[in-house]
């Protein structure tokens, strides 16, 4: 398996996985407000990954976000040059769009792959690596297919600024009672995207354990569906979302 020492700096922030924070939605990286149909988020124009609920939150967060933002923009620029062997010169941007479109699905797949409900400590040791293959399609998030998936050590991520950003999220998650930050890495060729996902204690997560997570991931990606909702079997019946 190819090894890329510095995956492109990502700044995705998915919410802690429970209903109160509307899991599956993004949260403002400054105030923690969850995205809803009535509150549409804005992306940072520099890195095009970090999201905010308002311009005020974006301004307040800028001193903390500046270094990772500039670093991400530089990595994307380098990735564009490295992707010259592909038909799409905007490979890095389309990879970010893919990760954004499948945020809930990728977070769920990482949770299942690392078996965090059974072994929460895995969140500190391992990460899910998703290798993608590229093909032409009118919709940017459908230009990728799942080539393979791997469980890799967290040390696979070597970029110091990305590691620092993951640690910041991990501290925030644990302060609010979570177990830490799940790391999902998606990559195509030499271009990678790191996706940190803050995870609540397993007792608060009602999702069913699924051994077929890889086939579910492949099905949603291949069909182009972005409406994934995890299944929870409770005393009240089966719940989607």
């Amino acid at each position: 398996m190819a090894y890329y020492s510095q995956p492109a700096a990502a700044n995705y922030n998915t919410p802690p996985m429970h209903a109160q924070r509307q899991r599956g939605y993004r949260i403002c990286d400054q105030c923690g407000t969850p995205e809803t149909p009535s509150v549409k988020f804005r992306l940072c124009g520099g890195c095009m990954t970090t999201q905010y609920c308002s311009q005020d939150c974006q301004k307040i967060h800028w001193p903390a976000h500046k270094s990772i933002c500039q670093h991400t923009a530089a990595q994307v620029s380098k990735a564009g040059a490295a992707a010259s062997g592909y038909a799409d010169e905007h490979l890095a941007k389309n990879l970010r769009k893919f990760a954004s479109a499948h945020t809930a699905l990728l977070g769920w797949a990482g949770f299942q792959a690392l078996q965090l409900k059974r072994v929460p400590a895995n969140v500190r040791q391992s990460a899910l690596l998703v290798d993608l293959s590229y093909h032409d399609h009118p919709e940017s998030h459908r230009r990728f297919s799942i080539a393979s998936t791997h469980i890799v050590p967290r040390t696979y991520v070597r970029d110091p600024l990305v590691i620092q950003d993951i640690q910041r999220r991990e501290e925030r998650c644990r302060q609010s009672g979570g177990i830490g930050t799940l790391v999902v890495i998606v990559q195509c060729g030499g271009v990678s995207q790191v996706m940190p996902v803050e995870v609540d204690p397993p007792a608060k997560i009602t999702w069913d354990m699924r051994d077929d997570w890889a086939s579910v991931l492949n099905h949603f990606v291949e069909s182009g569906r972005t409406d994934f909702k995890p299944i929870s079997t409770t005393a009240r019946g089966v719940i989607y979302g």
Side-chain angles (χ1 to χ4, degrees):
M1 180 176 66
Y3 178 78
Y4 306 103
S5 60
Q6 292 193 344
N11 210 21
Y12 281 107
N13 177 28
T14 56
M17 299 176 179
H18 53 80
Q20 286 78 8
R21 296 303 292 270
Q22 302 183 46
R23 64 168 179 257
Y25 286 87
R26 299 176 295 181
I27 63 174
C28 176
D29 205 32
Q30 169 58 30
C31 70
T33 296
E35 186 177 34
T36 66
S38 61
V39 180
K40 292 297 182 181
F41 281 13
R42 55 190 297 142
L43 289 175
C44 170
C47 65
M48 294 182 65
T49 53
T50 301
Q51 56 276 324
Y52 301 100
C53 65
S54 67
Q55 187 174 10
D56 288 341
C57 274
Q58 185 173 2
K59 288 180 178 179
I60 294 171
H61 192 243
W62 174 243
H65 177 57
K66 181 178 179 179
S67 59
I68 190 71
C69 177
Q70 294 176 341
H71 181 63
T72 300
Q75 291 292 313
V76 169
S77 178
K78 291 179 182 178
S84 58
Y86 289 85
D88 190 342
E89 62 181 356
H90 301 297
L91 177 63
K93 290 183 179 180
N94 284 325
L95 191 63
R96 287 188 293 173
K97 290 179 180 179
F98 170 88
S100 181
H102 294 294
T103 294
L105 175 65
L106 290 166
W108 173 86
F111 181 85
Q112 301 290 354
L114 270 59
Q115 300 184 15
L116 296 184
K117 197 151 191 169
R118 299 189 187 107
V119 191
N122 285 346
V123 77
R124 299 190 294 272
Q125 303 167 358
S126 304
L128 174 62
L129 172 65
V130 181
D131 271 311
L132 303 173
S133 58
Y134 179 90
H135 53 84
D136 288 323
H137 196 280
E139 297 178 87
S140 59
H141 73 277
R142 298 194 65 180
R143 293 175 184 172
F144 301 96
S145 296
I146 306 294
S148 60
T149 57
H150 311 271
I151 305 299
V152 298
R154 279 264 297 252
T155 53
Y156 186 92
V157 179
R158 301 289 296 277
D159 189 312
L161 280 178
V162 177
I163 293 173
Q164 182 180 1
D165 190 59
I166 292 171
Q167 291 174 339
R168 176 181 67 84
R169 298 176 188 281
E170 196 144 62
E171 291 173 4
R172 178 174 66 186
C173 180
R174 289 178 179 168
Q175 286 175 358
S176 62
I179 63 172
T181 301
L182 162 66
V183 175
V184 178
I185 307 163
V186 292
Q187 67 182 22
C188 183
V191 182
S192 304
Q193 184 81 35
V194 179
M195 188 177 158
V197 182
E198 297 172 32
V199 184
D200 268 351
K204 289 188 177 181
I205 301 175
T206 59
W207 297 349
D208 292 352
M209 294 300 298
R210 296 287 294 266
D211 293 328
D212 62 343
W213 62 267
S215 61
V216 173
L217 174 64
N218 185 71
H219 167 73
F220 275 85
V221 170
E222 288 300 318
S223 63
R225 291 178 57 185
T226 57
D227 59 344
F228 172 80
K229 292 183 179 181
I231 299 174
S232 300
T233 303
T234 69
R236 294 175 296 166
V238 176
I239 299 174
Y240 293 87

